[in-house]
Amino acid sequence: MVLIGDGTHGRRAVRVWEGHKRSLNVVVLIFLLFCFVSATYGYDPLDPNGNITIRWDVLLENQDSSQDVRISIVNEQLFRHVELPGWKLSWAWVGDEVIWNIAGAEATEQGNCSAFKGRQLPHCCLKEPTIIDLLPGAPYNVQVANCCKGGVLSSMVQDPVNHLAVFQMHIGSGGSNSNKSGNINTGMPANFSLGLRGYTCGDPVQVLPTKFYEDHGRRKTQALATWNVTCIYSQFKSSTAPTCCVSLSAFYNETIVPCPKCSCACNGQAGTEECVKPGELPPTQQQLSPHNDPPKPVVQCSDFMCPVKVHWHVKQSYKEYWRVKITVTNLNYVKNYSEWNLVVLHPNLSNVTQVFSFNYKPLNIYGNMSKHIFFTDVLLSVKFFQATKQCGVATPIEVYFSDDTGMFYGIDHYNDMLLQAGETGNVQTEMLMHKDVGIFTFKEGWAFPRKISFNGDDCVMPSPDMYPRLPNTAHFHAPPPSFFIVFTMLLLIFSFLNL
């Protein structure tokens, strides 16, 4: 027990303790934020559960230890899709397995199968095979359901029917040390890769066996065993530089805010790809590329050097509505963007009335209910979080989230393909939104989007202090500078005469 006496030392001790407590809270908060950021480099807040899942189902275990397996590649991303040249699935066998037969896909190489004599050779004998999807129109005897799309996977929002690919294999041991124990773990490979830029795949994880429906859903069967491999996307791993940028304009301001300079690259800088000046045509040899390899971008010369530019124009204001025009321009001469999409973050997207020429779907990433957020004692010390304490326990704060995120994409067979740079290399739409009395304003750049992404990659936005602003009405009523000069001189003369 400590006797404080006159209380001076006690108050001093309390102040010291409060100071240490505040410092400790700040340190812990910074540590937590650092942990969250460092662990989620591939996390997309607009698609928190988005990934591509490789599902490996063992359908049959034969007496010779060979297996019949079904591999499904499921794109579980809301707006990010896989376009041509498509996925290239690869893995590494843990033993001496080979692929005897395959349907719905094919290996890019057969490999050295000289060890097999006097019988039909395996489809692939490589230790690390690479599997690609069959092209549309493949012979029926090599097809399976949901195959043969050339490696293209649509997003779940844009085309939920074509967001997966399936193929089947008959695999077995390629040597004399075949496992006769019947263990279905035999043959599960490792080191999976989709062969797509920006994607990283984890290790196989055994999950509950997949169930299949038969006889119009009246009967269910299941796999002998199932493994899942999760692959996540990171824009930083996909490209060292952004691939799109945003420009802004409004009817109430003559200023057109261009894409930020050097958004994707700097024109004329060493190491930057050559560009095409306006009015010129790109060399034909630059448009040729090896089979199944995407061509390198050949863009128009500009200050921002991006393959894609998105322009947001606040077009008109009505009594209860306002209109926005969106234009997406392809500045890449060697690429058409099929099944393109645009994701926009803006608080007024919860009141979209009509969209012309584009398809539009809101991305309800918050769900249909309010969120209860509990703040710990550490966060209570930060004034930004206005939580209260009752009996030493943080009080939950109820927060309501609006649908502020939406996805725009083309109409099938009309503008679902963004053609290469040129007169037809753009798509555009106009959108009508209802004015929310509680939040709507043209002040401080509120009418412009907070974030725009093209095909799942974030676009470079102009700095907020560059946004077109409303004219300053006070400026037009302010006295001219000459008035202040004359008034100041008169004051000086009057003061001098009174001395």
Side-chain angles (χ1 to χ4, degrees):
M1 183 175 181
V2 180
L3 298 177
I4 298 178
D6 60 357
T8 304
H9 296 287
R11 289 191 295 270
R12 181 179 301 172
V14 171
R15 288 196 297 269
V16 172
W17 163 247
E18 291 295 336
H20 284 303
K21 184 179 180 181
R22 286 194 296 269
S23 301
L24 179 62
N25 287 343
V26 173
V27 171
V28 173
L29 178 61
I30 293 175
F31 174 76
L32 291 175
L33 292 176
F34 175 79
C35 292
F36 291 151
V37 172
S38 61
T40 55
Y41 62 91
Y43 176 80
D44 190 341
L46 300 184
D47 189 9
N49 300 316
N51 64 74
I52 294 182
T53 299
I54 304 169
R55 187 169 64 240
W56 186 286
D57 294 315
V58 179
L59 303 180
L60 182 64
E61 179 80 10
N62 302 304
Q63 293 183 354
D64 61 352
S65 295
S66 64
Q67 296 177 348
D68 292 336
V69 298
R70 176 184 294 176
I71 291 86
S72 304
I73 305 175
V74 186
N75 184 11
E76 298 180 349
Q77 300 175 109
L78 293 178
F79 47 80
R80 188 173 290 111
H81 64 283
V82 177
E83 56 185 346
L84 292 174
W87 51 266
K88 295 181 180 179
L89 181 62
S90 63
W91 61 78
W93 294 114
V94 294
D96 56 357
E97 293 85 0
V98 296
I99 302 174
W100 284 101
N101 294 301
I102 188 172
E106 62 184 356
T108 56
E109 294 184 38
Q110 184 182 32
N112 184 6
C113 297
S114 59
F116 301 89
K117 299 178 181 179
R119 50 179 170 166
Q120 183 180 359
L121 296 179
H123 177 79
C124 180
C125 300
L126 292 176
K127 181 72 172 180
E128 298 182 2
T130 299
I131 309 299
I132 58 175
D133 197 6
L134 296 179
L135 297 174
Y140 289 107
N141 61 339
V142 295
Q143 291 190 24
V144 296
N146 294 310
C147 82
C148 313
K149 304 169 186 175
V152 175
L153 296 176
S154 299
S155 63
M156 294 184 65
V157 172
Q158 201 160 349
D159 189 358
V161 177
N162 295 313
H163 76 290
L164 78 159
V166 178
F167 63 92
Q168 295 184 184
M169 299 187 302
H170 178 67
I171 59 177
S173 176
S176 59
N177 298 323
S178 299
N179 191 322
K180 301 296 183 180
S181 63
N183 184 0
I184 57 178
N185 290 322
T186 302
M188 187 60 203
N191 299 332
F192 280 84
S193 174
L194 287 171
L196 301 172
R197 292 181 181 177
Y199 286 90
T200 303
C201 299
D203 296 328
V205 177
Q206 189 165 9
V207 296
L208 293 176
T210 304
K211 294 184 178 181
F212 308 99
Y213 289 93
E214 295 180 353
D215 193 17
H216 303 285
R218 298 192 301 170
R219 168 179 164 79
K220 288 191 294 186
T221 60
Q222 69 178 43
L224 300 180
T226 299
W227 284 264
N228 280 350
V229 178
T230 302
C231 305
I232 60 174
Y233 177 83
S234 170
Q235 182 176 349
F236 300 104
K237 288 191 174 183
S238 174
S239 176
T240 56
T243 56
C244 62
C245 63
V246 179
S247 58
L248 308 170
S249 63
F251 70 90
Y252 51 78
N253 195 312
E254 295 181 355
T255 303
I256 299 178
V257 179
C259 287
K261 189 174 182 179
C262 297
S263 294
C264 302
C266 293
N267 189 4
Q269 186 179 11
T272 303
E273 298 289 341
E274 294 184 3
C275 60
V276 179
K277 297 180 180 179
E280 296 182 355
L281 294 177
T284 55
Q285 62 268 20
Q286 293 187 19
Q287 300 185 22
L288 302 177
S289 61
H291 180 64
N292 282 342
D293 289 334
K296 294 183 179 179
V298 179
V299 303
Q300 289 184 7
C301 296
S302 63
D303 291 335
F304 48 87
M305 295 289 288
C306 292
V308 175
K309 183 182 75 169
V310 181
H311 185 75
W312 179 283
H313 175 64
V314 180
K315 187 175 181 179
Q316 203 165 358
S317 177
Y318 307 99
K319 182 179 180 180
E320 297 183 358
Y321 300 90
W322 62 298
R323 183 184 292 262
V324 170
K325 182 177 181 180
I326 303 175
T327 304
V328 184
T329 305
N330 186 3
L331 303 175
N332 190 350
Y333 283 97
V334 295
K335 183 175 178 60
N336 296 328
Y337 294 92
S338 59
E339 295 190 7
W340 61 269
N341 67 70
L342 206 67
V343 175
V344 179
L345 177 63
H346 191 283
N348 213 166
L349 288 182
S350 58
N351 290 320
V352 172
T353 302
Q354 189 172 3
V355 177
F356 305 89
S357 304
F358 283 3
N359 286 316
Y360 173 78
K361 286 186 180 180
L363 297 180
N364 192 6
I365 58 177
Y366 304 118
N368 296 321
M369 57 184 179
S370 61
K371 307 292 183 181
H372 288 84
I373 302 177
F374 292 86
F375 295 104
T376 63
D377 184 68
V378 174
L379 298 181
L380 282 169
S381 64
V382 184
K383 293 183 179 180
F384 180 77
F385 299 94
Q386 300 298 327
T388 59
K389 273 190 173 182
Q390 294 180 357
C391 301
V393 180
T395 301
I397 295 181
E398 192 170 286
V399 182
Y400 292 90
F401 297 99
S402 62
D403 298 330
D404 57 1
T405 308
M407 176 175 168
F408 301 85
Y409 55 98
I411 299 174
D412 289 343
H413 310 298
Y414 175 60
N415 58 0
D416 58 335
M417 178 174 289
L418 179 58
L419 299 178
Q420 63 188 24
E423 296 181 358
T424 58
N426 67 85
V427 290
Q428 55 188 1
T429 184
E430 292 192 6
M431 173 175 53
L432 198 63
M433 291 179 284
H434 187 269
K435 294 181 179 178
D436 190 331
V437 179
I439 61 174
F440 178 81
T441 179
F442 281 131
K443 297 180 179 179
E444 305 300 331
W446 184 91
F448 299 103
R450 280 49 173 168
K451 179 180 179 181
I452 289 182
S453 67
F454 178 80
N455 282 354
D457 287 341
D458 292 343
C459 300
V460 179
M461 299 285 297
S463 175
D465 59 353
M466 299 296 294
Y467 286 8
R469 298 182 180 272
L470 285 171
N472 188 359
T473 54
H475 171 75
F476 298 102
H477 300 286
S482 57
F483 172 82
F484 292 102
I485 297 176
V486 173
F487 182 74
T488 303
M489 293 180 63
L490 290 176
L491 285 178
L492 292 175
I493 295 173
F494 183 78
S495 301
F496 179 79
L497 292 177
N498 286 339
L499 291 178

